[in-house]
């Protein structure tokens, strides 16, 4: 409040004297205004908003009280704002019913600054304590924050941490071996004896890490978890009470079973002429007359033979009973190779009333090309690009825990997962057709193999493994020997014939040392092992009699190459495989961009559009000993990659949806140009390895040696 009386008289006489001497335009404060009343919204208890109601702010340690204090803008003395101190007052009623009060002050600060004090540690625990604050400008104090229209803040101090929670699970008892299983959900209940627990923090090895709140303070909380592997699992849980104090951790260890076999499985590897598909698990499936056993299967798998369905009304297999409870978590998968893609076709389904509870197959949307599809109830997921005559592994998954349905093609999720409501089903499982109100339709035309239905979650590692096709070595040339104008393939396969200007280079000087032996001249050792192919850049090349890799399907080819930096003055091709009119792929060095390039024409036509990817490297390699290059085409994902010394990247990867099959030879050291053969390589080439199938990144790193890598199947 303003001062009156003598203070007012004094201010009046001083004002008259000062005004008489002041320069024109200068203004001064005529009185001292009290600081502003602190607003409740500008107050915090341990950095939480001020609690003014019945429930105080609980804190696990003596709290820090915070307030924003300010002086009126008019209260400015010749441009120098006043400095304010904060006066904090706390009070409570002790066990004897006597009110206790404490006052805490802050150091002076300019207006509009935050003031903080820490409450002493001797305050009582579990007691509601009120506090308020006001500002003082060394002359007058402002109103308390608790004065109307404000209110006092309240907190309570908790000096005890909650007790460690007890964890239990009916599906996965603690320290029990081989329970539950991979892909099988279990319930885990955590319960602390402390009555003020409001949250449990938990984490499994490898995740997830999350929190869960009980229905009421002090109560238990339950989470659901599914093991993704059979490795020992550990759940760590801590309880947090309302004050934020944490309990000691509880570690809960359990040991899941390995993944269980499918609930139903038909390899479809029955002898030709069979009328029934034997079941590995579940019930046998009777086959219609449009089913032929003894058919093809995808290479690189453990399958022996499969079944071919002709798309007629007799092209089906049926169990006469459900394969799985479609209202619970399930998955259905199969190897498929469509003979056509212009109409909807069904791989597998399960009958409901006048419809299907779920269906896996191929769909032909009106607004686009064919897509793989998975339907659960009214939800449909579509994705991928079916190709006539091309194998794919399909897996549809429905998870009741999340409510989502998902579709995987060749081990990769496609489309967008969708919320699904299952349809009640006690009907028969069908292979090759789907039930509608008018009868069965969308019959499969093509090959099928290894149809599986699971009554659990199929985890990501399993999805990848089910779709895995192990690459097959087609040829390995190490360039250590030459006979009759050819260098052999390591395993007796197709040799590479050497043209004039192509030689096998071997270091014949042994271990001589030029500084000691005057007749010794230093020669660079071969790139790898005892020899490499040396090309003269004019006429030298090497070639097989025919194609080595099927460029219309997944393949991998690796090569070690070195071009002397001084020789890299023009484009040079290290590997190519010819079509009728152009190369199906050409791996070359382009000095204009200082990069290795992979060029893939999109059609077997001269001048066809090309896909080009590259990796920047010195022609002689990062250390002068050459570069290991690898080309990987994954037809399942339509991905083309170029690797240099085991590395690829965004600029070295592209989408190639329709690779075409070349018929020409694998050629080392030259490629097709507008004028015929050209881009002859001058340099050294070693360790060419060609595979059917797409190698994984980890396997690409293993290429380039005299021995072949042990391919990763995980």
């Amino acid at each position: 409040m303003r001062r009156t009386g003598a203070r007012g008289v004094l201010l009046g006489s001083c004002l008259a004297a000062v005004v008489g001497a002041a320069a024109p335009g200068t203004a001064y404060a005529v009185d001292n205004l009290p600081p502003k009343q602190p607003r409740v919204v500008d107050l915090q208890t341990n950095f939480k908003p001020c609690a003014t109601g019945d429930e105080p702010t609980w804190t696990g340690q003596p709290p820090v009280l915070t307030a924003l204090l300010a002086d009126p803008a008019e209260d400015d003395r010749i441009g120098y704002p006043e400095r304010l101190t904060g006066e904090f007052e706390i009070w409570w009623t002790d066990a004897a019913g006597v009110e206790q009060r404490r006052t805490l002050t802050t150091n002076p600060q300019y207006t509009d600054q935050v003031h903080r004090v820490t409450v002493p540690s001797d305050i009582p625990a579990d007691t509601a304590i009120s506090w308020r604050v006001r500002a003082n400008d060394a002359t007058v104090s402002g109103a308390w924050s608790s004065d109307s229209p404000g209110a006092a803040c309240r907190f309570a101090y908790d000096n005890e941490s909650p007790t460690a929670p007890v964890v239990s699970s009916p599906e996965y008892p603690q320290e029990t071996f081989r329970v539950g299983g991979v892909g099988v959900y279990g319930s885990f209940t955590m319960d602390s004896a402390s009555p003020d627990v409001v949250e449990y923090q938990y984490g499994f090895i490898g995740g997830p890490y999350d929190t869960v709140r009980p229905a009421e303070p002090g109560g238990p909380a339950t989470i659901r978890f599914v093991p993704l592997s059979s490795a020992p699992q550990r759940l760590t849980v801590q309880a947090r009470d309302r004050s934020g104090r944490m309990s000691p951790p509880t570690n809960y260890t359990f040991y899941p079973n390995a993944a269980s076999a499918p609930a139903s499985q038909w390899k479809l590897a029955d002898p030709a002429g069979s009328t029934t598909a034997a079941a590995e698990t579940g019930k046998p499936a009777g086959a219609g007359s449009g089913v032929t056993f003894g058919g093809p299967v995808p290479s690189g798998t453990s399958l022996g033979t499969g079944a071919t369905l002709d798309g007629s009304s007799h092209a089906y297999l049926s169990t006469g009973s459900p394969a799985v409870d479609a209202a619970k978590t399930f998955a259905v998968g199969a190897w498929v190779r469509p003979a056509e893609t212009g109409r909807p076709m069904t791989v597998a389904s399960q009958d409901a009333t006048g419809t299907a509870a779920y269906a896996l197959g191929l769909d032909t949307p009106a607004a686009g090309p064919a897509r793989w599809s998975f339907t659960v109830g009214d939800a449909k997921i579509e994705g991928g690009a079916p190709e006539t005559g091309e194998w794919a592994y399909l897996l549809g998954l429905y998870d009741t825990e999340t409510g989502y349905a998902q579709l995987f093609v060749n081990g990769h999720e496609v489309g967008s997962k969708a919320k699904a409501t299952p349809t009640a089903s006690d009907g028969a499982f069908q292979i090759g057709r789907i039930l509608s109100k008018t009868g069965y339709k969308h019959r499969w035309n093509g090959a099928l193999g290894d149809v599986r239905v699971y009554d659990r979650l199929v985890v990501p590692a399993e999805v990848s493994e089910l779709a895995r096709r192990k690459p097959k070595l087609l040829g390995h040339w190490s360039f250590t020997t030459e006979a009759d104008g050819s260098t052999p393939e390591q395993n007796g396969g197709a040799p590479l014939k050497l043209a004039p200007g192509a030689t096998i280079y071997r270091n014949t000087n042994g271990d001589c040392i030029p500084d000691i032996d005057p007749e010794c001249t230093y020669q660079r050792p071969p790139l790898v092992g005892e020899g490499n192919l040396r090309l003269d850049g004019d006429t030298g090349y090497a070639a097989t009699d025919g194609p080595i890799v099927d460029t219309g399907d997944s393949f991998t080819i690796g090569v070690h190459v070195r071009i002397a930096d001084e020789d890299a003055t023009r484009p040079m091709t290290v590997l190519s495989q010819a079509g009728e009119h152009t190369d199906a792929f050409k791996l070359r060095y382009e000095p204009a961009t200082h990069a290795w390039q992979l060029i893939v024409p999109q059609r077997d036509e001269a001048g066809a559009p090309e896909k080009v990817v590259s990796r920047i490297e010195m022609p002689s390699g990062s250390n002068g000993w050459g570069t290991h290059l690898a080309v990987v085409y994954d037809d399942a994902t339509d991905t083309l990659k170029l690797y240099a010394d085991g590395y690829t990247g965004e600029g070295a990867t592209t989408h190639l949806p329709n690779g075409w099959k070349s018929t020409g030879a694998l050629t080392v050291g030259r490629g097709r140009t507008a004028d015929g053969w050209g881009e002859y390589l001058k340099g050294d080439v070693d360790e060419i390895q060609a595979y059917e199938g797409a190698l994984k990144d980890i396997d690409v790193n293993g290429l380039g040696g005299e021995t072949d890598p042990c391919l990763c199947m995980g």
Side-chain angles (χ1 to χ4, degrees):
M1 60 182 177
R2 297 176 182 269
R3 291 194 174 188
T4 58
R7 172 65 173 167
V9 172
L10 177 62
L11 284 176
S13 60
C14 288
L15 177 61
V18 172
V19 169
T26 303
Y28 298 95
V30 298
D31 205 350
N32 179 50
L33 301 176
K36 292 181 179 180
Q37 179 185 14
R39 301 184 307 167
V40 170
V41 295
D42 293 330
L43 310 181
Q44 291 183 331
T45 304
N46 245 20
F47 309 102
K48 297 178 181 179
C50 164
T52 60
D54 293 336
E55 183 64 25
T57 296
W58 282 89
T59 176
Q61 62 279 325
V64 174
L65 309 182
T66 304
L68 177 66
L69 304 182
D71 214 22
E74 301 88 348
D75 203 3
D76 188 326
R77 298 181 179 176
I78 320 179
Y80 295 95
E82 294 178 313
R83 293 166 66 86
L84 305 177
T85 58
E87 182 182 354
F88 290 79
E89 185 177 59
I90 63 174
W91 69 94
W92 67 92
T93 301
D94 65 18
V98 178
E99 184 179 83
Q100 303 291 331
R101 286 184 179 265
R102 301 273 183 88
T103 299
L104 308 167
T105 58
T106 63
N107 292 324
Q109 297 188 69
Y110 289 117
T111 184
D112 294 315
Q113 299 294 311
V114 172
H115 292 243
R116 292 190 179 96
V117 295
T118 300
V119 174
S121 60
D122 60 349
I123 58 173
D126 302 320
T127 300
I129 299 176
S130 300
W131 70 274
R132 60 182 183 174
V133 63
R134 64 181 178 180
N136 184 281
D137 64 6
T139 301
V140 64
S141 294
W144 287 104
S145 59
S146 58
D147 294 347
S148 181
C153 302
R154 304 177 76 233
F155 69 88
Y157 166 48
D158 184 352
N159 64 350
E160 291 187 4
S161 297
T163 60
V166 175
V167 180
S168 61
S169 172
E171 296 87 359
Y172 295 97
Q174 186 174 23
E175 298 293 347
T176 303
F177 287 87
R178 303 298 168 238
V179 291
V182 173
V184 177
Y185 278 94
S187 295
F188 294 82
T189 299
M190 44 204 78
D191 191 5
S192 170
S194 299
D196 58 346
V197 167
V198 295
E199 183 179 85
Y200 296 95
Q201 296 183 1
Y202 67 88
F204 292 85
I205 296 177
Y209 306 94
D210 210 341
T211 60
V212 62
R213 300 180 70 88
E216 57 184 11
T222 299
I223 61 170
R224 298 280 284 170
F225 172 76
V226 58
L228 302 183
S229 77
S230 59
Q233 305 285 324
R234 186 177 68 203
L235 167 62
T236 301
V237 183
Q238 286 183 278
R240 185 180 70 83
D241 66 19
R242 59 192 172 185
S243 72
R245 296 182 74 103
M246 301 296 296
S247 75
T250 296
N251 291 317
Y252 185 92
T253 304
F254 57 99
Y255 303 87
N257 266 315
S260 61
S264 300
Q265 180 184 6
W266 304 268
K267 288 188 174 180
L268 304 182
D270 305 271
S274 297
T275 58
T276 301
E280 302 296 309
T281 55
K283 295 184 177 181
S289 59
V291 178
T292 302
F293 292 101
V297 292
S299 61
T301 68
S302 61
L303 302 179
T305 60
T308 302
L309 284 65
D310 64 11
S312 70
S313 60
H314 302 288
Y316 68 90
L317 298 96
S318 180
T319 61
S321 60
V324 72
D325 184 347
K328 298 180 179 179
T329 296
F330 74 91
V332 55
W335 281 104
V336 305
R337 189 177 74 174
E340 57 177 312
T341 57
R343 64 177 180 86
M345 297 194 296
T346 300
V347 174
S349 67
Q350 187 163 301
D351 294 348
T353 303
T355 185
Y358 59 85
L360 182 69
L362 180 154
D363 200 7
T364 53
R371 292 286 185 265
W372 298 116
S373 68
F374 178 51
T375 303
V376 178
D378 293 330
K380 176 182 284 190
I381 303 97
E382 294 182 331
E387 295 183 33
T388 299
E390 181 179 302
W391 284 103
Y393 188 81
L394 308 183
L395 186 128
L397 173 66
Y398 173 66
D399 185 351
T400 54
E401 300 289 334
T402 64
Y404 280 103
Q406 295 171 273
L407 173 61
F408 297 85
V409 177
N410 295 316
H412 302 272
E413 186 175 3
V414 298
S416 299
K417 63 182 180 180
K419 282 285 187 180
T421 302
T423 300
S425 168
D426 57 2
F429 181 74
Q430 307 289 339
I431 299 175
R433 64 182 184 178
I434 186 174
L435 182 63
S436 70
K437 293 181 179 179
T438 58
Y440 290 103
K441 61 179 183 179
H442 297 168
R443 292 169 173 83
W444 182 260
N445 181 14
L448 297 175
D450 197 20
V451 179
R452 300 175 176 224
V453 186
Y454 293 86
D455 58 358
R456 59 173 176 82
L457 191 73
V458 177
V459 301
E462 289 181 286
V463 175
S464 297
E465 189 60 30
L466 287 169
R468 176 72 167 150
R469 297 173 66 178
K470 183 177 180 179
K472 175 185 176 183
L473 181 67
L474 301 174
H476 186 171
W477 296 268
S478 288
F479 304 105
T480 57
T481 61
E482 174 187 356
D484 299 325
S486 297
T487 187
E489 193 275 328
Q490 276 192 3
N491 301 303
L496 281 165
K497 295 181 178 180
L498 305 180
T503 58
I504 300 302
Y505 168 75
R506 297 171 62 89
N507 187 343
T508 58
N509 282 353
D511 296 326
C512 73
I513 303 174
D515 292 341
I516 298 176
D517 184 353
E519 297 184 1
C520 176
T521 301
Y522 174 77
Q523 295 182 0
R524 178 184 291 272
L527 292 178
V528 181
E530 298 180 358
N532 62 236
L533 177 65
R534 176 156 290 178
L535 302 172
D536 65 0
D538 293 322
T539 60
Y541 70 92
T544 58
D545 286 334
I548 297 298
V549 295
D550 181 355
T551 54
D553 203 348
S554 298
F555 72 90
T556 301
I557 190 163
V559 60
H560 201 115
V561 59
R562 180 185 181 275
I563 302 172
D565 293 340
E566 61 271 18
D567 293 332
T569 58
R570 57 179 174 80
M572 300 185 198
T573 295
V574 60
L575 287 178
S576 65
Q577 186 165 297
E580 184 177 352
H581 304 287
T582 187
D583 290 324
F585 73 87
K586 180 163 62 175
L587 182 58
R588 69 200 285 260
Y589 189 78
E590 174 52 75
T593 57
H594 308 287
W596 288 100
Q597 287 184 341
L598 173 62
I599 301 175
V600 179
Q602 297 183 47
R603 297 186 297 275
D604 189 8
E605 299 174 3
E610 297 174 332
K611 294 282 190 176
V612 181
V613 295
S614 62
R615 288 285 296 179
I616 296 176
E617 294 285 347
M618 293 292 292
S620 61
S622 59
N623 57 7
W625 289 95
T627 303
H628 183 267
L629 304 173
V631 176
V632 178
Y633 175 51
D634 188 345
D635 191 35
T637 60
D638 295 331
T639 303
L640 181 70
K641 294 182 179 181
L642 172 62
Y643 294 79
D645 290 332
Y647 293 95
T648 186
E650 183 176 350
T653 302
T654 190
H655 183 68
L656 184 66
N658 295 301
W660 52 275
K661 185 181 180 71
S662 64
T663 56
L666 175 68
T667 302
V668 186
R670 70 175 186 174
R672 291 279 188 89
T673 66
D675 300 325
W677 291 103
E679 296 188 355
Y680 285 83
L681 184 139
K682 184 177 182 180
D684 295 332
V685 178
D686 209 351
E687 302 303 335
I688 296 176
Q689 293 158 288
Y691 287 84
E692 174 189 275
L695 266 64
K696 293 184 176 182
D697 290 350
I698 190 174
D699 296 326
V700 170
N701 287 328
L703 297 177
E706 291 186 292
T707 59
D708 298 307
C710 179
L711 299 183
C712 174
M713 286 293 291

